Amino acid sequence: MNSIYALIRTDGGIRFRDGTPDQGTGAAFAVQRATRGGHGLHGDAGDVRGPADTHLLNRIATLVVYALGGPSRCVFGDLAIGGDRFESGSGETTPCGLTEAQQHLIRDVHDAICENAEAAEGGDTGPSAASGERDDRHSGRGGAGA
């Protein structure tokens, strides 16, 4: 099974990466609980700080988690979303990579939230063009290693 996870940065951009997210001392929580024979989602929020050592609110990630049925709570820092798989023998869930369907769902929800935010604000919510960083949000790509 793959080990793909989604990373939603504090600037609102999204990337899908292969591997294990390095989230440091952040908080982990269930986004969608895995049910018998199924898959779920979990989030791991990083401890990203801004000026004056304040935690950076990740507004886009907060809205994505809520839209996916996760807890109504603010997400601070970068958010990694990974998969969970229900283990029928033990009755517990274990972390795993995102399925293709989960990747598409997260991308679709993220894109819809960003488009609504841009329309409401009249501007872009992603990285500035001056940064030179590629943002996969609107490219239709963003698979592993993006």
Side-chain angles (χ1 to χ4, degrees):
M1 172 157 257
N2 66 26
S3 57
I4 302 293
Y5 68 95
L7 180 68
I8 303 175
R9 300 179 313 264
T10 55
D11 66 7
I14 188 170
R15 300 276 175 115
F16 287 87
R17 295 193 169 152
D18 191 359
T20 304
D22 179 21
Q23 291 302 104
T25 60
F29 57 93
V31 176
Q32 292 178 348
R33 297 215 182 270
T35 58
R36 184 172 301 274
H39 287 82
L41 298 171
H42 69 270
D44 294 299
D47 188 17
V48 178
R49 295 179 185 256
D53 204 33
T54 58
H55 290 281
L56 294 178
L57 174 64
N58 191 331
R59 185 174 56 90
I60 298 297
T62 297
L63 294 171
V64 168
V65 167
Y66 183 73
L68 290 171
S72 179
R73 59 174 270 184
C74 291
V75 174
F76 293 92
D78 293 339
L79 175 68
I81 301 176
D84 287 326
R85 176 180 51 237
F86 185 84
E87 297 293 335
S88 58
S90 67
E92 296 182 9
T93 60
T94 58
C96 64
L98 296 170
T99 66
E100 283 189 40
Q102 289 172 323
Q103 292 174 52
H104 289 291
L105 174 64
I106 292 167
R107 173 159 313 284
D108 290 347
V109 168
H110 177 270
D111 287 351
I113 287 169
C114 287
E115 288 172 14
N116 286 336
E118 288 174 13
E121 295 176 2
D124 185 18
T125 60
S128 70
S131 74
E133 182 175 350
R134 191 183 96 204
D135 187 358
D136 294 328
R137 186 179 55 199
H138 296 295
S139 69
R141 288 178 295 205

